[in-house]
Amino acid sequence: MKKNNILDIQKLKNLNTPFATLTAYDFPSAKIINELNIPIVLVGDSASMVVYGYKDTTPIQMDEMLLITKAVARGIGAALLVGDMPFMSYQPSVEVAVQNAGRLIKEGLMDAVKLEGGTEYIDQVSAIITAGIPVMGHIGLKPQSVLIESGYKIQGKTSDSALKIYQDALALADAGVFALVLEGIPEELAQIITQKIKIPTIGIGAGKFCDGQIQVLHDIIGLLGENVPKHANAYINSQKIIQDGISQYQSDVENNTFPNSNHSTKMDAQELTELKNKIENL
Ligand code: KIV
């Protein structure tokens, strides 16, 4: 199986065919996704909430990211693996950013990293790329800004804020990011950016004009229920499917129908008699 590189991803834009990407956080989901033709798999810092149960993406640590990136990498063959840089793993300085991006590649077995922000982190982005690590940008609604923004808000609704996002997109493309996530912005703005820059845009809550789309695995399969964000579709209710399976197991145990002889091993009759004799003679 040929591994996708960043040129393969960039070719997708030229083909003008929309492509689907998504997140993964563990070995079984990586194996499931690996059977499908998904070009990029992101080990997102959304793991903070959907895997570790924190309230938002600010608490997750580098070490918690590395545990799951390694697990996903063991299950993925062809897809380009992108590891998210968690909050405070790149903000403090260029050196900290390069070191942590390096850890995601060397220890976390990722092929690229993603970080949130535009011109304010352009030095970090450039230094990571100079170090030889591909970077995916992420602008618009930046979930790591939840504290300073007092919540999750669609960005770029006014001409001034839209212009800032447009300029961020151009600056990141100039700095050499290989693809750009556009999150939570009006579709017209996403369309303008997508038409302007040469690298693929990957939208989440940014409308249909992006080159590709990205979604959180748990949202599209309804793993935490069907109450998903406005930008997502729960295509199946896997929470219910899994609960149904567990309930059947539970009732089989309670009704004494599991395990049955198919699930069990019988001892050789003579060995059993000898065992009983030995126990009696103890
Ligand atoms: O962490 C994440 O899951 C993301 C998205 C773009 C899906 O950053």
Side-chain angles (χ1 to χ4, degrees):
M1 191 180 290
K2 182 198 167 299
K3 178 85 182 168
N4 281 340
N5 56 41
I6 58 173
L7 287 181
D8 296 317
I9 302 305
Q10 290 176 336
K11 273 184 211 147
L12 294 172
K13 183 175 180 111
N14 307 335
L15 293 175
N16 219 4
T17 313
F19 58 92
T21 67
L22 77 167
T23 60
Y25 312 97
D26 58 20
F27 180 70
S29 58
K31 292 270 286 175
I32 292 168
I33 293 167
N34 193 46
E35 302 292 313
L36 309 166
N37 193 18
I38 299 285
I40 301 176
V41 170
L42 169 71
V43 186
D45 65 345
S46 46
S48 185
M49 293 166 292
V50 302
V51 174
Y52 291 106
Y54 296 123
K55 66 183 191 329
D56 57 43
T57 58
T58 59
I60 193 169
Q61 305 273 352
M62 268 302 291
D63 287 342
E64 290 169 312
M65 283 302 297
L66 288 167
L67 275 179
I68 59 172
T69 58
K70 284 188 271 197
V72 170
R74 291 183 205 113
I76 293 288
L80 185 91
L81 283 167
V82 180
D84 229 349
M85 299 199 65
F87 185 53
M88 284 300 143
S89 71
Y90 58 93
Q91 287 90 343
S93 71
V94 166
E95 288 70 27
V96 168
V98 174
Q99 261 163 18
N100 282 321
R103 287 191 73 193
L104 282 167
I105 304 293
K106 287 181 76 78
E107 294 171 50
L109 308 175
M110 296 290 96
D111 305 312
V113 301
K114 173 169 87 57
L115 61 89
E116 294 178 14
T119 49
E120 65 280 22
Y121 294 117
I122 213 75
D123 291 344
Q124 277 87 334
V125 167
S126 300
I128 295 169
I129 296 171
T130 303
I133 299 171
V135 176
M136 176 183 272
H138 182 159
I139 54 174
L141 191 164
K142 294 166 287 185
Q144 291 178 12
S145 302
V146 60
L147 302 177
I148 200 82
E149 290 276 332
S150 302
Y152 302 106
K153 295 178 183 146
I154 297 293
Q155 303 290 310
K157 291 206 279 190
T158 65
S159 61
D160 280 346
S161 62
L163 183 63
K164 161 80 171 95
I165 294 169
Y166 175 80
Q167 286 168 331
D168 280 342
L170 264 49
L172 286 166
D174 275 355
V177 300
F178 73 93
L180 184 58
V181 170
L182 300 176
E183 176 162 0
I185 61 170
E187 64 177 12
E188 297 87 345
L189 175 59
Q191 184 177 29
I192 292 171
I193 293 173
T194 302
Q195 283 168 351
K196 177 71 182 171
I197 62 178
K198 300 254 175 317
I199 53 168
T201 57
I202 305 180
I204 173 163
K208 61 181 179 191
F209 300 111
C210 296
D211 297 301
Q213 297 290 328
I214 186 155
Q215 288 288 320
V216 168
L217 172 69
H218 292 42
D219 289 343
I220 58 167
I221 64 169
L223 192 54
L224 296 172
E226 284 178 311
N227 192 8
V228 296
K230 174 177 152 74
H231 61 69
N233 251 358
Y235 288 93
I236 54 168
N237 187 344
S238 59
Q239 184 179 65
K240 167 118 189 23
I241 294 169
I242 292 169
Q243 277 170 347
D244 285 351
I246 295 171
S247 291
Q248 279 178 39
Y249 158 69
Q250 187 180 21
S251 75
D252 279 1
V253 171
E254 289 168 0
N255 297 327
N256 246 327
T257 54
F258 177 87
N260 62 31
S261 55
N262 294 332
H263 306 111
S264 314
T265 311
K266 282 216 168 293
M267 209 167 163
D268 176 78
Q270 186 165 346
E271 293 291 343
L272 183 58
T273 312
E274 282 175 26
L275 171 67
K276 287 179 178 165
N277 289 340
K278 282 177 186 167
I279 290 172
E280 256 174 40
N281 294 328
L282 278 180

